[in-house]
Amino acid sequence: SDRQLYDETKQFTCLDKSKIIPFGRVNDDYCDCSDGSDKYFDISFLHYTGTAACPNGKFHCTNAGCRPVNVPSSRVNDGICDCCDATDEYTSGTVCANTCKELGKKERETLKQLAKVVKAGLPMKEHLIEEARKTREEKKRKLEKLQESQRALESEAEARRRTKEEAEALGQEAKEKHRSAWNELQVAKRKEQESQHVAKLFVELDSDHSGVISAPEVQARPELDGDADGTVTETEARAILGGTVGVDLKTFQDNIWHKIKDKYMSAPVQVPDFDETTQAVIDAAEETRDDYRLTEKHLYQIKEDIRKLEEELSMDFGPHHEFVFMHRECYEITNEYVYKICPFHKVTQKSKQGGMETLLGVWGSWAGSEENKYSMMKFEDGAPCWQGPYRSVQVKLLCGEQTAVMSSAEPSRCEYLFELQTPAPALKHGEL
Amino acid sequence: MAPVSERLRWLFLAWIISMCITTTQCVDRSNFKTCNQSAFCKRQRSVTPGNSPYRALLDTLELNENSMKLQLLNKVNKVPLLLEVSGLEGNMVRLRINELKPLKPRYEVPDVLVKEPRTVPLAVVSRDEGSVEVSLSSPDHRLVLTAEPFRLDVLAGRELLLSVNSRGLLVFEHLRQRKDTFTAKVSSAVGSMWDTIRNVFSSASKKEESSEEGEEKADDTDPTAEQTDDNKAEDGEAEKVKEEEEENEEGMWEETFKTHTDSKPNGPTSISLDFSLPGVENCLTRAPAVSLCSSGDPYRLFNLDVFQYELHNPMALYGAVPLLLAHSPRRTLGIFWLKLPSEPGWAETWQGEEFGNSHQLLLHSWFNETVLGKVLDYVQGSSEEPQTDVRWISESGIIDAFILLGPKPTDIFHQYASLTGTQAFPPLFSLAYHQCRWNYNDEEDVRSVDSGFDLHDIPCDVIWLDIEHTDGKRYFTWDPNKFPSPRDMLQGLQSKKRKMVTIVDPHIKVDSDYKIHKEVRSHGYYTKTKDGSDYEGWCWPGTAGYPDFTDPEMRSWWASMFSYDQYEGSTENLYIWNDMNEPSVFNGPEVTMHKDAVHKGGWENRDLHNLYGFYVQMATAEGQVHRSGGTERPFVLTRAFFAGSQRYGAVWTGDNAAEWDHLRISIPMCMSLGLAGISFAGADVGGFFKSPDPSLLVRWFQTGAYQPFFRSHAHLDTPRREPWLFGDENTRLIREAVRQRYALLPFWYTLFYQAYRTGEPVMRPLWVEYPTDVSTFAIDDEYMLGGALLVHPVTEEGARGVTAYLPGKGEVWYDVHTYQKHIAPQNLYIPVTMSSIPVFQRGGTIIPRKDRVRRSSECMAGDPYTLYVALSPQVHTGDRV
């Protein structure tokens, strides 16, 4: 193994094979091998230790009483205590106390504390998982029920549509009947009225009572100004009179009236209200239409519910759906602003004095590392910043007994970072 | 004869920085003046080259051990000037021109020169009725002063180096009383005002005669009348009227830009002077790399906060150094245009186009403002000889120009440093890596960035806090919610041997509950308006006052605010950053202070504008020195700067953008600053505005690692970009670049020590080391660090290779990564990958490194040095370590 490479009787070959040096240069505090293999290698313990001579090397702190660590070799004898056992400062003159015992104790306490939290958190997490499972099953059941209702409603709606259409046809028929009866009556009535009207008009136009309407009499009627230029010229008058100088009542009735009728006819008389029987048929049709609409609305609602449920069931609430309890919840923290985090929905901020909310981001995705993608939430496409990007948010999940926002920050302009504590990410026992 | 025998390299610096309020994506030029929109610049530029109206009165010549003095008389207006010429130790000539009897004192720039320069005696070599020849101390250098028209030539042996006023552009607007618009009265009444004016003119025109007021003689005539001697009195008056109208038209007594009116109680006061450099082909680069050969507006030197500045544009920027360098294989020359003694004044610089072989630069100064103008086809001797003409224009003050005679580039640096001082020797940590962002949000954010560097094993020395760390933009305070325990936070950084820098800007929130404001107001330390009230403008905190940093008493009060008991929460590892110190005034003309604002001693901002930022940094640095009882070196970063700013800390190139062009331009910008004395300069790594893609960010880290001031910075609205946020491979590349910086820290520290001792720049154009190699002259994508390393960063997107020029006949260069040897001179093609940073060590040099790179520079204090000795085919070159 490695030990054989450090043979004092032979020349030393750098482990990266970059150079061969006399063995005397091994551990001489001058860096010969570009990989640093001529230094820091404590043959007796077979682990890295030594000086800062080579870049990229590692110094091993045993840290008895605490955790052993490897620090970059550049930290050896730099006047700063890096190893709790003080072994990294052996020539710098800096006096480092051995704090391993204390540190180890503290670390163990921290671990214990963490374990406690995890221990407390785990049942909570399990509870959450169980709850999530129940909720999920419930939701699935609800979905099935809804789907059942949907099917029932769909056939009901179909039946109602048919009823409605039939009733509507009846109503339409009754309306038609009513209208045509009225129309027949009206035709006769109007004829009579019209002839009376024409006779009356003739007398009115015949202003000199000569029994003949002459061109000057027509010229005196401003409403007959065909080209709307303000005067009825003789030519215009004659055109109205069919090229003659005057017309008698008969000619007026037969040839002239229809030309000027629109200027003198009053609007046709309104169709009177439906009689009771007709109205009853129409009302019945209206009722079936309302029934149908109601059913349709109900059906739409159910479809919406189904869509939402399906969406929810398809959302990623964690490996065991343990984050589902945050869905539709919001958590606030107040620092410079009041921030509101609504997981799986959006993040907003508003001034402590109230006022408009600013959207910092809408739910994007889980964004943790590959090993643990559920350690970070990402919200995107918030309100744009002045001269800057669209706001966005990252929410880091920490393990804790309560669900609460622990901190807020804006590391870059318009990029927010929050820490949200919750039992949901608690580690399993084996992961401690 | 080859038309191109020499080239001129010059240098100016102007920068910009900053963050402003508009929403535009590029600079809004309409907010800033062109030369034509500035009355004095327009007036000056309308003066065309030709016969100068100035005659040197040789009979007034006085020579003493310090200088030669004589009068220059303007034949047109009869106003006499006093010219003082001195030879200075170190091969320099100083020229000062002021009115012989100014109506009141004119501003002469204080505090920029480290001391009154030591003079060397001049001697008259020969003299006739039309000229005087004077010898300078250095062997064959002579000055020839021609009387009519006035002109001054500087010669080395038989070679003409430089001519002054050869194009006749000396203009000196004398102080005058305002005639006002009631012209009728002028002709009839001899009011007291008119008497005064006449006294001034008459005493001026009759040298040394009765300068006492009221001693007016009957036959003294006012200058305008004199001009029209032959005419009838009415004609003379008519002309006077006309002249006054012209004056009013030209905005001599008032001008308006956009909605801002500039009252000008002193009237026209601008000055200009031309210099011609025969045998010098104009090819200038400058801060935001602008060739002064280009046509258009003159190069403007007026410190302004220009939002999202443009590259390759002569507009003003955050800072300015009025130094022009001309380099040819035979010689390097410099012209330093200071409005010194007494009031500042500098101005804008502008310059013009090329005609044939001659070039003109117009420098114009507004600190006056100074402008560099351009060209007349003035040809000295052979018409094939190139020539560069330069003209400086300033809005006020006096003419005070230093001609640095070289002859070698290093001589120029020594000469300039002897005038304005050398680079402050920075504390070691400040040469390491700085992590900045607008803003690290709170103490927890700082802690996590700090530990991010450890986690990813990337060295870092300093974490920075921008304006959001304060309580409502009240500097010297902390936001009580986000930074409730700054001492603990600073202690946390100290435990990693890291530092912090907080921002302290010079605009002070007007708030009667704010200690700093209360004290500034009660001491009367605020800059005043022309009417005498406290000047107020808008900046980050809303309404703000601007302490008068030109007042030494105010500066020592300001310095005292940095003591640990005054700046609450501060500790030994806290350092300072001064931003917005042009000063930036969001609602002011050109986003800065009104020119008629009034400073200590009654001087207008117009006179000393470019000194404001210089003084802010000076006072802040003094505060840091004082808080440690004078035992610790300060670190202060500034955005605005002027000649001499190098004595107080570092400068950065302001608000750049995450674009490849901005990465490339960082090289000539930092080189220019170095040539102008400011070695400690850098550009925001990654680009301030916008967001870099990972390859640009990596290339920027690689480039920044080899530039003097190495700091990442980012705008508030950009996504986070700490080095580990772009995947393992990019993290590795950035780590490697930063580690290369740390390994070379002993080398950087040595270079800065040399810069501090000698004034020689840390980051150098190749021609500084190879002054006779013409092919180095135009190179601005590679450079040298000291005399030993040549760096050619990869600054092209997707580059597969770069071509580096390795200079030096008979020399060799070694690739620092592979130790491969290359013979010089050659153009070497280097294939590159994303990890490549082409760097070469010069044969015959020794570079000290610390190869154990740790998390901060202080952690490396006790580590061994490794000397990298590069052999040369020649004998040892005498390198120092």
Side-chain angles (χ1 to χ4, degrees), chain B residues 76-93:
Chain B
V76 177
N77 65 15
K78 305 296 183 204
V79 176
L81 305 178
L82 180 65
L83 164 71
E84 185 175 1
V85 181
S86 311
L88 302 184
E89 276 186 359
N91 208 16
M92 291 180 278
V93 175

